Amino acid sequence: LSLHDALPIGRASCRERVATGLAIRKGQPVIVRHIPTDPSYASWRAIAGEHGFASAIALPLHFEGRVGGALSIYSGQPDAFDEDETALLKEMADDLAFGIETLRLRARHAESQLEILRLNADLERRVAARTAELEAANQDLESFSYSVSHDLRTPLRAIDGFSAMLAEQYEPQLDAEGQRRLKVIRTNTKKMEQLIDDLLMFSKMARHPLAALPIDMAGL
């Protein structure tokens, strides 16, 4: 008994002319009833004689609608494979092909599972790296916000203080347009101060835990 894969067979090879090759090419069982006198076994007759082979049967193995190999069985008796035995062996070959295909599917499934585990591990690694980058970026933003707020508050206080002194001491000497412009300066100074406070508050949000709340998307 031997198993053969359906590999490409060279034209010079005699294998394609014996039962195994014919079964693979035709997709049907091939019976050699008397090897010593069968012309197709001329090149293999000596080898078959050394092993005491007198007859043989080759049964194709079907995998998903195609022939993927053959099961070859040899006997020391001539004409050893009758109709009933051929039907039984064909059923056995079909069961064997089904078993092999099941093992292949299990192997592919195991490979898929390993690939999924590898992809998950890679995804977790990338998420961890991106999270670390985001945390570093948030820390940089917070440091930047503190620095900017400190650098902006000093000249802003000077502008607000001097504009307040100007309004207190020289407002009567200013015409309506001058008083309006001075009021614009002080208003925008207060607005800038509020923007700085908001920027600081925004930078601190990264340290607060996330709070999940329902949102009215239509209203938003």
Side-chain angles (χ1 to χ4, degrees):
L1 182 150
S2 63
L3 280 175
H4 300 273
D5 292 328
L7 299 175
I9 302 170
R11 295 182 62 183
S13 173
C14 294
R15 177 180 169 185
E16 64 179 350
R17 297 196 297 270
V18 297
T20 301
L22 290 173
I24 291 174
R25 288 195 292 118
K26 294 181 177 181
Q28 296 292 333
V30 174
I31 299 175
V32 180
R33 302 191 180 279
H34 193 241
I35 292 177
T37 60
D38 193 299
S40 65
Y41 267 82
S43 300
W44 295 85
R45 193 168 294 142
I47 298 176
E50 291 177 3
H51 292 82
F53 296 155
S55 60
I57 183 172
L59 304 116
L61 301 177
H62 296 274
F63 302 102
E64 298 180 350
R66 63 178 182 83
V67 179
L71 170 65
S72 298
I73 302 175
Y74 297 87
S75 173
Q77 300 296 325
D79 201 10
F81 306 98
D82 57 22
E83 184 176 346
D84 292 338
E85 190 167 358
T86 299
L88 181 63
L89 291 174
K90 185 177 183 302
E91 183 178 351
M92 184 181 70
D94 292 339
D95 291 341
L96 177 62
F98 178 78
I100 293 174
E101 186 64 19
T102 300
L103 291 176
R104 289 176 177 175
L105 289 174
R106 288 179 179 176
R108 286 198 292 266
H109 178 72
E111 291 177 359
S112 299
Q113 292 297 319
L114 290 176
E115 180 66 13
I116 290 174
L117 292 176
R118 187 191 66 79
L119 291 175
N120 285 339
D122 183 63
L123 180 60
E124 291 177 1
R125 179 187 60 79
R126 292 169 60 184
V127 168
R130 292 296 177 87
T131 301
E133 293 175 1
L134 181 59
E135 291 176 351
N138 286 335
Q139 291 177 359
D140 291 341
L141 174 62
E142 188 172 352
S143 299
F144 173 76
S145 299
Y146 277 111
S147 176
V148 168
S149 65
H150 180 270
D151 293 342
L152 290 180
R153 284 184 189 278
T154 300
L156 195 61
R157 289 196 183 103
I159 294 173
D160 184 58
F162 279 105
S163 62
M165 293 171 57
L166 184 63
E168 181 180 350
Q169 298 179 16
Y170 297 97
E171 188 172 9
Q173 302 178 27
L174 298 175
D175 58 11
E177 180 61 18
Q179 293 178 12
R180 187 190 70 80
R181 294 184 178 182
L182 184 60
K183 185 177 180 181
V184 169
I185 292 174
R186 300 207 65 194
T187 300
N188 282 277
T189 300
K190 297 297 184 183
K191 184 178 180 180
M192 183 65 180
E193 186 175 2
Q194 183 62 48
L195 288 174
I196 292 174
D197 291 339
D198 292 343
L199 180 62
L200 281 174
M201 184 178 297
F202 176 73
S203 68
K204 295 176 181 178
M205 289 178 63
R207 294 182 296 180
H208 295 170
L210 293 178
L213 297 173
I215 298 295
D216 181 5
M217 299 302 296
L220 183 62

